Amino acid sequence: MNPFSSAKNLLTTALSHLPAPVQHALPSHKAEAFTFGDPVPVNDGRELLDYMECWFNGRFYEPQVSMTGLAKTFKATPYLSSGIIFKRNFLANLFEPHRLLNRKDFEQVALDFIWCGNAYLEKIPSRLGSTMSYQPALAKYMRRGEYDDQFFMLNLSHTGYQEYEFKPGSVCHIKETDIDQEIYGTPEYISVLQSAWLNEAATLFRRKYYNNGSHAGFIMYVNDPANDPNDITALRQALKDSKGPGNFRNLFFYSPNGKKDGIQIIPVSEIAAKDDFAHIKSISRDDVLAGIRVPPQLMGIIPSNTGGFGDPKTARDVFYQNEIIPLQSRLMQFNEWAGEEIIRFKELPKL
Protein backbone atom coordinates (compact mmCIF):
# COMPACT_ATOMS: atom_id res chain seq x y z
CA MET A 1 0.00 0.00 0.00
CA ASN A 2 1.23 3.46 -0.86
CA PRO A 3 2.55 5.13 2.32
CA PHE A 4 1.32 8.54 1.16
CA SER A 5 -2.21 7.18 0.79
CA SER A 6 -2.05 5.67 4.30
CA ALA A 7 -0.90 8.99 5.75
CA LYS A 8 -3.69 10.79 3.92
CA ASN A 9 -6.30 8.37 5.29
CA LEU A 10 -4.99 8.75 8.84
CA LEU A 11 -5.11 12.53 8.59
CA THR A 12 -8.65 12.44 7.21
CA THR A 13 -9.77 10.15 10.05
CA ALA A 14 -8.17 12.41 12.67
CA LEU A 15 -9.78 15.52 11.26
CA SER A 16 -13.19 13.84 11.25
CA HIS A 17 -12.97 13.26 15.00
CA LEU A 18 -12.21 16.92 15.80
CA PRO A 19 -15.08 18.88 17.42
CA ALA A 20 -16.99 21.07 15.07
CA PRO A 21 -16.20 24.79 15.42
CA VAL A 22 -18.70 26.81 17.37
CA GLN A 23 -20.59 29.23 15.17
CA HIS A 24 -20.99 32.56 16.97
CA ALA A 25 -23.81 34.71 15.86
CA LEU A 26 -22.76 38.17 14.79
CA PRO A 27 -23.95 40.81 17.19
CA SER A 28 -26.69 43.04 15.97
CA HIS A 29 -25.75 46.61 15.22
CA LYS A 30 -27.09 48.90 17.89
CA ALA A 31 -26.11 52.14 19.51
CA GLU A 32 -23.82 51.97 22.53
CA ALA A 33 -22.78 54.54 25.09
CA PHE A 34 -19.71 54.28 27.31
CA THR A 35 -17.33 56.46 29.30
CA PHE A 36 -13.55 56.52 29.41
CA GLY A 37 -13.14 56.61 33.18
CA ASP A 38 -11.14 58.95 35.38
CA PRO A 39 -7.87 60.60 34.33
CA VAL A 40 -4.78 58.54 35.14
CA PRO A 41 -1.40 60.18 35.84
CA VAL A 42 1.54 59.24 33.64
CA ASN A 43 3.61 57.86 36.51
CA ASP A 44 0.80 55.76 37.98
CA GLY A 45 1.79 52.23 38.93
CA ARG A 46 5.34 53.03 39.98
CA GLU A 47 4.71 52.92 43.73
CA LEU A 48 6.99 49.87 44.08
CA LEU A 49 9.96 51.86 42.81
CA ASP A 50 9.41 54.46 45.54
CA TYR A 51 10.49 51.90 48.13
CA MET A 52 13.83 51.42 46.38
CA GLU A 53 14.83 55.09 46.75
CA CYS A 54 18.30 55.08 45.15
CA TRP A 55 19.24 51.64 43.88
CA PHE A 56 22.71 50.36 44.86
CA ASN A 57 24.23 48.46 41.93
CA GLY A 58 27.13 46.99 43.91
CA ARG A 59 29.53 49.85 43.22
CA PHE A 60 27.56 53.08 43.65
CA TYR A 61 24.02 54.40 44.08
CA GLU A 62 22.01 55.18 40.98
CA PRO A 63 20.31 58.61 41.05
CA GLN A 64 16.59 58.54 41.62
CA VAL A 65 16.16 61.03 38.76
CA SER A 66 17.91 60.45 35.44
CA MET A 67 20.76 62.94 35.08
CA THR A 68 20.73 62.45 31.32
CA GLY A 69 17.02 63.21 31.18
CA LEU A 70 17.46 66.36 33.27
CA ALA A 71 20.30 67.50 31.02
CA LYS A 72 18.07 67.09 27.96
CA THR A 73 15.20 68.91 29.67
CA PHE A 74 17.53 71.79 30.45
CA LYS A 75 17.75 72.41 26.68
CA ALA A 76 14.10 71.69 25.93
CA THR A 77 12.60 75.14 26.51
CA PRO A 78 14.23 78.59 26.65
CA TYR A 79 12.35 79.58 29.79
CA LEU A 80 13.90 76.81 31.87
CA SER A 81 17.46 77.17 30.58
CA SER A 82 17.30 80.97 30.66
CA GLY A 83 16.05 80.98 34.25
CA ILE A 84 18.75 78.59 35.40
CA ILE A 85 21.49 80.55 33.64
CA PHE A 86 20.10 83.77 35.08
CA LYS A 87 20.46 82.41 38.60
CA ARG A 88 23.97 81.20 37.78
CA ASN A 89 24.95 84.61 36.47
CA PHE A 90 23.47 86.33 39.51
CA LEU A 91 25.51 84.14 41.87
CA ALA A 92 28.71 84.43 39.81
CA ASN A 93 28.42 88.22 39.71
CA LEU A 94 28.33 88.41 43.52
CA PHE A 95 31.00 85.76 44.09
CA GLU A 96 34.36 86.91 45.44
CA PRO A 97 37.18 84.82 43.92
CA HIS A 98 39.50 82.95 46.29
CA ARG A 99 43.02 81.75 45.71
CA LEU A 100 41.75 78.17 45.97
CA LEU A 101 38.59 78.65 43.88
CA ASN A 102 38.39 81.01 40.92
CA ARG A 103 35.27 82.49 39.35
CA LYS A 104 35.17 80.11 36.39
CA ASP A 105 35.16 77.03 38.59
CA PHE A 106 32.52 78.56 40.83
CA GLU A 107 30.26 79.13 37.83
CA GLN A 108 30.37 75.38 37.13
CA VAL A 109 29.54 74.60 40.76
CA ALA A 110 26.61 77.04 40.79
CA LEU A 111 25.25 75.74 37.48
CA ASP A 112 25.41 72.10 38.59
CA PHE A 113 23.69 72.87 41.87
CA ILE A 114 20.82 74.71 40.19
CA TRP A 115 20.13 72.39 37.23
CA CYS A 116 20.38 69.04 39.07
CA GLY A 117 20.52 69.85 42.80
CA ASN A 118 24.05 68.46 43.21
CA ALA A 119 27.48 70.10 43.24
CA TYR A 120 30.85 68.42 43.74
CA LEU A 121 34.20 70.00 44.62
CA GLU A 122 37.42 67.99 44.65
CA LYS A 123 40.35 68.96 46.84
CA ILE A 124 43.60 68.99 44.84
CA PRO A 125 46.55 68.40 47.22
CA SER A 126 50.08 69.61 46.67
CA ARG A 127 53.19 67.51 47.08
CA LEU A 128 53.68 68.94 50.55
CA GLY A 129 50.21 67.83 51.63
CA SER A 130 48.53 71.23 51.64
CA THR A 131 45.52 72.14 49.49
CA MET A 132 46.54 73.54 46.13
CA SER A 133 43.04 74.26 44.78
CA TYR A 134 39.44 73.07 44.62
CA GLN A 135 38.19 71.83 41.27
CA PRO A 136 34.54 71.17 40.32
CA ALA A 137 33.53 67.70 39.13
CA LEU A 138 30.68 67.53 36.62
CA ALA A 139 27.58 66.52 38.55
CA LYS A 140 26.04 64.71 35.58
CA TYR A 141 28.67 61.97 35.78
CA MET A 142 29.25 61.83 39.54
CA ARG A 143 27.95 58.94 41.66
CA ARG A 144 27.94 58.32 45.40
CA GLY A 145 29.51 55.09 46.60
CA GLU A 146 28.48 52.87 49.47
CA TYR A 147 30.16 55.13 52.02
CA ASP A 148 29.66 58.83 52.64
CA ASP A 149 33.15 59.82 51.44
CA GLN A 150 33.26 57.46 48.44
CA PHE A 151 32.58 58.96 44.99
CA PHE A 152 32.93 57.79 41.41
CA MET A 153 33.01 59.58 38.08
CA LEU A 154 31.62 57.75 35.06
CA ASN A 155 33.58 58.35 31.89
CA LEU A 156 32.65 57.10 28.43
CA SER A 157 35.30 58.12 25.90
CA HIS A 158 37.07 56.70 22.86
CA THR A 159 38.96 54.37 25.20
CA GLY A 160 35.73 52.83 26.50
CA TYR A 161 33.71 53.01 29.68
CA GLN A 162 35.63 53.78 32.87
CA GLU A 163 34.79 54.39 36.51
CA TYR A 164 37.23 56.68 38.26
CA GLU A 165 37.16 56.42 42.03
CA PHE A 166 38.19 59.50 43.95
CA LYS A 167 40.43 59.35 46.95
CA PRO A 168 38.29 58.94 50.09
CA GLY A 169 37.55 62.27 51.74
CA SER A 170 38.70 64.37 48.77
CA VAL A 171 35.24 65.30 47.42
CA CYS A 172 32.65 67.60 48.98
CA HIS A 173 29.07 66.95 47.93
CA ILE A 174 26.60 69.85 48.21
CA LYS A 175 23.04 68.68 47.57
CA GLU A 176 19.49 69.87 47.73
CA THR A 177 17.25 68.17 50.25
CA ASP A 178 14.79 65.54 49.05
CA ILE A 179 11.77 63.91 50.66
CA ASP A 180 12.46 60.40 49.33
CA GLN A 181 16.19 59.80 49.88
CA GLU A 182 19.34 61.34 51.30
CA ILE A 183 21.94 60.15 48.76
CA TYR A 184 21.44 62.71 45.99
CA GLY A 185 19.79 66.08 45.70
CA THR A 186 16.89 66.80 43.36
CA PRO A 187 16.30 70.11 41.57
CA GLU A 188 13.59 72.37 42.84
CA TYR A 189 11.87 72.55 39.45
CA ILE A 190 11.19 68.80 39.26
CA SER A 191 7.42 69.36 39.36
CA VAL A 192 7.37 71.48 36.18
CA LEU A 193 9.04 68.95 33.88
CA GLN A 194 5.72 68.05 32.26
CA SER A 195 5.09 71.71 31.43
CA ALA A 196 8.58 72.09 29.99
CA TRP A 197 8.06 69.03 27.78
CA LEU A 198 4.64 70.33 26.69
CA ASN A 199 6.22 73.64 25.70
CA GLU A 200 8.84 71.81 23.66
CA ALA A 201 6.25 69.53 22.04
CA ALA A 202 4.11 72.50 20.99
CA THR A 203 7.11 74.19 19.36
CA LEU A 204 8.19 71.03 17.54
CA PHE A 205 4.66 70.42 16.30
CA ARG A 206 4.41 73.92 14.89
CA ARG A 207 7.84 73.61 13.25
CA LYS A 208 6.81 70.38 11.54
CA TYR A 209 3.65 72.09 10.32
CA TYR A 210 5.60 74.93 8.69
CA ASN A 211 8.35 72.68 7.35
CA ASN A 212 5.72 70.56 5.65
CA GLY A 213 5.06 73.45 3.28
CA SER A 214 1.42 72.60 2.63
CA HIS A 215 -0.35 75.41 4.44
CA ALA A 216 -3.40 75.46 2.27
CA GLY A 217 -5.22 73.06 4.54
CA PHE A 218 -8.24 72.57 2.28
CA ILE A 219 -9.70 70.37 -0.44
CA MET A 220 -10.78 72.09 -3.68
CA TYR A 221 -13.75 70.11 -4.88
CA VAL A 222 -14.62 70.64 -8.57
CA ASN A 223 -17.65 68.94 -10.14
CA ASP A 224 -18.63 71.41 -12.84
CA PRO A 225 -18.69 69.63 -16.22
CA ALA A 226 -18.59 72.99 -17.99
CA ASN A 227 -14.93 73.47 -17.06
CA ASP A 228 -12.33 73.12 -19.74
CA PRO A 229 -9.74 70.34 -19.04
CA ASN A 230 -7.02 72.87 -19.61
CA ASP A 231 -8.42 74.98 -16.75
CA ILE A 232 -8.31 71.97 -14.41
CA THR A 233 -4.70 71.33 -15.40
CA ALA A 234 -3.79 74.96 -14.76
CA LEU A 235 -5.53 74.86 -11.39
CA ARG A 236 -3.70 71.67 -10.40
CA GLN A 237 -0.36 73.27 -11.32
CA ALA A 238 -1.22 76.40 -9.33
CA LEU A 239 -1.96 74.31 -6.24
CA LYS A 240 1.36 72.48 -6.60
CA ASP A 241 3.21 75.79 -6.89
CA SER A 242 1.59 77.04 -3.68
CA LYS A 243 3.75 74.70 -1.54
CA GLY A 244 7.12 75.51 -0.10
CA PRO A 245 8.42 79.00 -1.01
CA GLY A 246 5.20 79.80 -2.81
CA ASN A 247 2.82 79.17 0.06
CA PHE A 248 0.10 81.60 1.15
CA ARG A 249 -0.46 82.77 -2.42
CA ASN A 250 -3.92 83.70 -3.60
CA LEU A 251 -5.44 81.48 -6.29
CA PHE A 252 -7.84 82.75 -8.96
CA PHE A 253 -9.95 80.35 -10.97
CA TYR A 254 -12.25 81.50 -13.79
CA SER A 255 -15.02 79.14 -14.88
CA PRO A 256 -17.34 80.54 -17.57
CA ASN A 257 -20.87 79.14 -17.50
CA GLY A 258 -20.06 77.29 -14.27
CA LYS A 259 -22.61 76.23 -11.71
CA LYS A 260 -23.09 77.88 -8.34
CA ASP A 261 -21.40 75.10 -6.37
CA GLY A 262 -19.15 73.87 -9.14
CA ILE A 263 -16.04 74.64 -7.10
CA GLN A 264 -16.02 74.21 -3.31
CA ILE A 265 -13.31 74.88 -0.75
CA ILE A 266 -13.52 72.37 2.12
CA PRO A 267 -11.15 73.19 5.04
CA VAL A 268 -9.56 70.15 6.68
CA SER A 269 -6.74 71.54 8.82
CA GLU A 270 -7.52 74.88 10.41
CA ILE A 271 -4.57 74.27 12.71
CA ALA A 272 -3.99 77.90 13.56
CA ALA A 273 -7.41 78.11 15.21
CA LYS A 274 -7.62 74.65 16.79
CA ASP A 275 -4.28 73.74 18.34
CA ASP A 276 -4.21 76.93 20.50
CA PHE A 277 -0.45 77.24 20.13
CA ALA A 278 -0.13 80.63 21.80
CA HIS A 279 -2.21 79.55 24.80
CA ILE A 280 -0.18 76.36 25.31
CA LYS A 281 3.09 78.27 25.11
CA SER A 282 1.85 80.89 27.56
CA ILE A 283 0.50 78.47 30.18
CA SER A 284 3.54 76.18 30.07
CA ARG A 285 5.82 79.22 30.29
CA ASP A 286 4.05 80.42 33.43
CA ASP A 287 4.41 76.96 34.98
CA VAL A 288 8.15 76.90 34.30
CA LEU A 289 8.65 80.40 35.68
CA ALA A 290 6.70 79.43 38.79
CA GLY A 291 8.94 76.39 39.23
CA ILE A 292 12.23 78.27 39.00
CA ARG A 293 10.76 81.41 40.62
CA VAL A 294 12.39 84.02 38.39
CA PRO A 295 10.39 87.23 37.76
CA PRO A 296 9.48 87.51 34.07
CA GLN A 297 10.64 91.13 33.81
CA LEU A 298 14.16 90.01 34.72
CA MET A 299 14.22 87.50 31.85
CA GLY A 300 13.26 89.92 29.10
CA ILE A 301 9.74 88.53 28.58
CA ILE A 302 7.40 90.99 26.89
CA PRO A 303 4.18 91.43 28.91
CA SER A 304 0.92 90.64 27.15
CA ASN A 305 -1.11 93.05 29.28
CA THR A 306 -1.06 96.83 29.15
CA GLY A 307 -0.04 97.19 32.80
CA GLY A 308 3.22 95.26 32.39
CA PHE A 309 5.02 93.24 35.07
CA GLY A 310 5.84 96.06 37.45
CA ASP A 311 9.06 97.76 38.45
CA PRO A 312 12.07 95.57 37.55
CA LYS A 313 14.16 97.16 40.31
CA THR A 314 11.69 96.03 42.97
CA ALA A 315 11.50 92.58 41.40
CA ARG A 316 15.31 92.40 41.45
CA ASP A 317 15.51 93.25 45.14
CA VAL A 318 12.77 90.78 46.11
CA PHE A 319 14.36 88.06 43.98
CA TYR A 320 17.70 88.65 45.65
CA GLN A 321 16.25 88.39 49.14
CA ASN A 322 14.01 85.39 48.52
CA GLU A 323 16.08 83.31 46.07
CA ILE A 324 19.72 84.33 45.80
CA ILE A 325 20.50 84.63 49.50
CA PRO A 326 19.10 81.12 50.24
CA LEU A 327 21.15 79.73 47.35
CA GLN A 328 24.25 81.43 48.70
CA SER A 329 23.71 79.90 52.13
CA ARG A 330 23.42 76.41 50.62
CA LEU A 331 26.61 76.80 48.61
CA MET A 332 28.45 78.14 51.63
CA GLN A 333 28.01 74.73 53.26
CA PHE A 334 31.25 73.94 51.47
CA ASN A 335 33.10 76.25 53.88
CA GLU A 336 32.19 73.98 56.80
CA TRP A 337 33.66 70.99 54.97
CA ALA A 338 36.83 72.86 53.89
CA GLY A 339 37.36 74.50 57.28
CA GLU A 340 37.97 77.84 55.58
CA GLU A 341 35.84 80.56 54.04
CA ILE A 342 36.34 79.65 50.40
CA ILE A 343 32.93 80.62 49.01
CA ARG A 344 31.94 84.16 49.91
CA PHE A 345 29.76 86.81 48.31
CA LYS A 346 29.60 90.55 48.24
CA GLU A 347 26.50 92.64 48.86
CA LEU A 348 24.09 93.40 46.03
CA PRO A 349 25.02 96.78 44.56
CA LYS A 350 22.30 99.40 44.55
CA LEU A 351 20.82 100.71 41.32
Side-chain angles (χ1 to χ4, degrees):
M1 185 176 181
N2 192 346
F4 293 101
S5 301
S6 301
K8 181 179 179 181
N9 295 333
L10 291 175
L11 180 60
T12 304
T13 304
L15 291 175
S16 63
H17 288 81
L18 291 177
V22 179
Q23 299 293 334
H24 296 280
L26 295 177
S28 59
H29 296 283
K30 60 180 180 180
E32 295 183 4
F34 62 94
T35 59
F36 285 99
D38 298 330
V40 179
V42 175
N43 293 328
D44 187 35
R46 295 183 56 191
E47 293 82 2
L48 181 60
L49 297 179
D50 293 338
Y51 292 96
M52 297 179 62
E53 298 179 352
C54 293
W55 175 60
F56 183 70
N57 61 11
R59 287 277 286 171
F60 50 81
Y61 287 96
E62 297 285 353
Q64 190 184 35
V65 181
S66 172
M67 294 297 173
T68 303
L70 282 179
K72 293 180 179 179
T73 304
F74 171 77
K75 307 170 185 176
T77 171
Y79 307 114
L80 182 60
S81 60
S82 178
I84 293 175
I85 294 175
F86 178 79
K87 284 186 175 182
R88 190 277 311 270
N89 293 342
F90 211 124
L91 289 169
N93 182 49
L94 299 178
F95 173 72
E96 295 183 355
H98 192 274
R99 60 181 180 85
L100 300 179
L101 182 63
N102 57 41
R103 189 182 302 275
K104 180 181 179 181
D105 292 337
F106 173 78
E107 289 181 358
Q108 183 65 54
V109 172
L111 180 63
D112 284 344
F113 185 76
I114 297 172
W115 82 264
C116 71
N118 298 276
Y120 301 87
L121 277 163
E122 180 189 7
K123 180 171 60 175
I124 307 299
S126 64
R127 293 184 178 182
L128 299 178
S130 60
T131 302
M132 188 167 59
S133 65
Y134 291 99
Q135 297 292 328
L138 294 179
K140 180 180 178 180
Y141 308 102
M142 291 293 293
R143 299 294 183 268
R144 228 294 298 277
E146 183 177 4
Y147 307 103
D148 293 341
D149 58 349
Q150 186 181 24
F151 292 93
F152 297 86
M153 172 168 280
L154 311 185
N155 182 25
L156 183 59
S157 62
H158 63 282
T159 59
Y161 175 78
Q162 297 177 354
E163 295 177 2
Y164 173 76
E165 183 176 357
F166 292 87
K167 183 180 178 181
S170 62
V171 175
C172 176
H173 182 197
I174 309 173
K175 60 179 180 295
E176 281 277 11
T177 56
D178 186 42
I179 61 176
D180 294 324
Q181 44 81 37
E182 70 282 0
I183 304 299
Y184 296 101
T186 54
E188 58 184 15
Y189 62 87
I190 197 71
S191 60
V192 301
L193 293 181
Q194 297 288 350
S195 297
W197 296 332
L198 175 62
N199 190 287
E200 179 194 31
T203 303
L204 293 177
F205 178 78
R206 182 54 64 95
R207 281 193 61 214
K208 292 178 181 178
Y209 169 69
Y210 280 107
N211 291 337
N212 182 44
S214 180
H215 302 293
F218 60 82
I219 297 176
M220 179 170 285
Y221 175 66
V222 180
N223 64 352
D224 189 354
N227 291 317
D228 191 291
N230 295 327
D231 295 336
I232 299 298
T233 303
L235 177 61
R236 184 184 296 110
Q237 185 63 36
L239 285 174
K240 291 181 179 179
D241 295 340
S242 69
K243 292 185 177 182
N247 51 23
F248 296 111
R249 291 178 178 176
N250 295 324
L251 299 178
F252 175 77
F253 182 71
Y254 174 65
S255 175
N257 301 322
K259 296 181 181 179
K260 178 181 179 181
D261 296 329
I263 299 178
Q264 299 183 31
I265 302 298
I266 306 175
V268 295
S269 60
E270 292 294 336
I271 186 173
K274 293 184 178 181
D275 72 333
D276 210 359
F277 175 74
H279 185 66
I280 294 175
K281 294 286 290 185
S282 177
I283 293 300
S284 58
R285 178 201 66 185
D286 295 343
D287 289 344
V288 173
L289 292 181
I292 59 178
R293 296 187 301 277
V294 177
Q297 59 266 49
L298 300 182
M299 295 180 58
I301 297 178
I302 301 176
S304 57
N305 58 343
T306 57
F309 293 128
D311 183 18
K313 180 181 178 181
T314 303
R316 166 183 173 267
D317 296 337
V318 174
F319 176 74
Y320 170 73
Q321 292 291 333
N322 294 346
E323 291 296 325
I324 298 302
I325 291 182
L327 278 176
Q328 291 176 350
S329 63
R330 292 189 183 97
L331 294 175
M332 291 172 66
Q333 297 175 10
F334 171 73
N335 298 336
E336 302 175 4
W337 180 86
E340 184 180 356
E341 190 179 12
I342 307 297
I343 297 180
R344 52 190 177 183
F345 302 91
K346 58 185 178 182
E347 293 292 332
L348 180 68
K350 296 182 180 180
L351 295 179

